[in-house]
Amino acid sequence: MNTQTVSEAREGGRRLRGIALFSVLATLILTLLLEALDQTIVGTAMPKIIGSLHGFDRYTWVVNAYLLGAITMIPIVGKLSDQFGRKGFLLAGTTIFLLGSLLAGASQTMYQLIVFRAIQGCGSGIGMALVGTVIADIFPPAERAKWQGIFGAVYGFSSLVGPSVGGWLTDRGPLLEPVVTESTRWRWVFYINFPLGIVALAALLICLPSGISVRTNRFTGWAAVRRIDFIGSLLVAAATICLLLGLTWGSDRAIGWNAPQVIAILVTAGMLYISFFFAEQFAVEPILPLSLFRNQVFAADLALSLLLGMILMGLAIYLPFFFQGVLGVSATDTGLEMTPLLVSIIVGAVLFGAMVTFSKRYQVAVILGTCIMAVGAFLLTQMTSATSLLDAAIFMSITGVGIGSLFPVLTLVAQNALPLRQLGVGTGAVNYLRQLGQTLGVAVIGAVVNFSLSNDVVRRLPSTLVKQIASADLKAATDPQILMNPAYRDTIVQKSQQFAVNNAVAHVPASPWYNHIVTVLAARTVQQTRDHLNQVFEALKPALAVALRNGFIAVLVFSVGAILAAFFLKDISMVQHFDEDPDMLEPVAEGVQAPLRSLQTVR
């Protein structure tokens, strides 16, 4: 690190001002908005994408590939940005994201789309790892809370509004013959990133100073490259990929948690994580210094980040199931009914960010926020098919304020607990666990819901009927999509009827009355199969209500865990200027530290 960088770091207050500050903040918000949107924006576009590219059996990988790329990059880039600075990585990440967006929009096959989404995700992961860190580079700790609150609100907003934006672009995106036609408007889901992203890229290039971050690396050339933790990077990337694959496959009703490939890949993930932590003990510049876990505040903050991800995505996935499957709200109106959760998250993030900024303390705010979240989660567990939409909106609003309260605080706590030389590592770890928590939350809550649903449906049906229905038919008939998608329900009925008819007529002996017997038997079988499935469908709605209630109980348990973790977040004073803590800049160039301390004494 050169003297100029240290001098910049020692300036009191903000490191950017005026139009430069405004430009960088607006650019970072736009970058985060685009990259967070793309986590969920493709969901509502998938039917049109499948209709154009086919490959229904691979559609989930369009989402999973993006998440895999993003989560894998976050911890690696966080550390490298501490070593070599952030501007270059941020520019590279935005460029990769835009390239992946263009390629994804131009995809001609489902396999191409999956690969290009992974590229897009890698660029997104770099951005998500560094946006919050750059905020810490610009503002001293005492000013960070309100800005982290705004950026947290942007992240929550974009994650939840993504499906609505994707649906609008898919249905009403502009035509651009012959590149974008009526049937391929879904390509705008990806193309829309390019014009906005180019603006963000140019603004970052022009307005963001290259020396704004404190760099720990004092080597150049090959000596600098040798200090990169390649082994740790490979191990954490491989472990992350294996864990996410295992959680994704286990959550799939068609595969299940008992499948050999799921067990094998989860065991592999565990072994890779153990190897990673072992390797980090010997790395010169470890991706995640294990000494950080001895910091009580930082460790508690990581636990809260993981739990927040589990709660947020669990609700984002399963609340729509409740509205559509239990309350009978249409798919179009479900987005509107989710608005209270979205708005309250934004309100909570802004209010609690301002609270922390004013009080210069965060523990009370976190405890209060997690308690509000737990109260909201408890109210969600009380919802039934008789719950009104107004009551549901109130319950979601309470929960959302609690969730939003954590968005500005978690990154701030990690950054405030660590010196400037470890901002990238700390911020990356928080973002990594929050992203990982989203996948883990969907898997855990999904396992609770699916297990409860399967058992409760069977309990509600006559035992003789359960024996008559094939296990494959029963599994398909208890898919919650039955209650939300009439076309899917008709498909299941038709497939089951065809299968039952084929089995019934297979043993009819040849005779002069063969055709008559087959016709009568087929008609009887069709009617019998429909009657059996209708009984299952009738039992499915109350069983789904119970299953979702158990899923919300899991959310409540996570919320209680968050309250307990909050008590370990001891307050650390948030300094007003970068020069109030001499240790924040360690290590600094030899011969520079003593003069700087003398300068501070004069002030």
Side-chain angles (χ1 to χ4, degrees), residues 25-44:
L25 290 177
T27 300
L28 293 176
I29 288 175
L30 179 60
T31 300
L32 182 63
L33 177 68
L34 293 177
E35 292 170 350
L37 268 177
D38 270 68
Q39 292 185 90
T40 56
I41 197 172
V42 300
T44 46

Side-chain angles (χ1 to χ4, degrees), residues 336-421:
L336 180 63
E337 299 302 333
M338 291 287 290
T339 302
L341 179 65
L342 168 64
V343 173
S344 61
I345 287 176
I346 297 173
V347 170
V350 174
L351 286 180
F352 277 79
M355 180 190 303
V356 175
T357 300
F358 177 77
S359 66
K360 303 297 185 295
R361 293 289 183 269
Y362 48 76
Q363 186 179 30
V364 172
V366 175
I367 293 175
L368 177 61
T370 52
C371 287
I372 293 174
M373 182 170 64
V375 170
F378 171 76
L379 293 174
L380 292 178
T381 65
Q382 305 305 301
M383 293 195 303
T384 66
S385 57
T387 300
S388 69
L389 293 178
L390 177 60
D391 287 342
I394 294 173
F395 300 162
M396 285 191 298
S397 297
I398 296 172
T399 310
V401 169
I403 292 173
S405 71
L406 298 181
F407 273 105
V409 179
L410 296 184
T411 303
L412 171 70
V413 169
Q415 293 171 344
N416 197 52
L418 301 175
L420 289 180
R421 60 188 172 85

Side-chain angles (χ1 to χ4, degrees), residues 546-565:
V546 172
L548 290 174
R549 179 177 183 272
N550 291 334
F552 295 145
I553 289 175
V555 171
L556 177 59
V557 172
F558 301 152
S559 301
V560 172
I563 295 174
L564 296 177

Side-chain angles (χ1 to χ4, degrees), residues 440-458:
L440 186 61
V442 172
V444 172
I445 297 174
V448 171
V449 170
N450 290 334
F451 179 79
S452 175
L453 182 63
S454 300
N455 289 338
D456 201 66
V457 167
V458 172

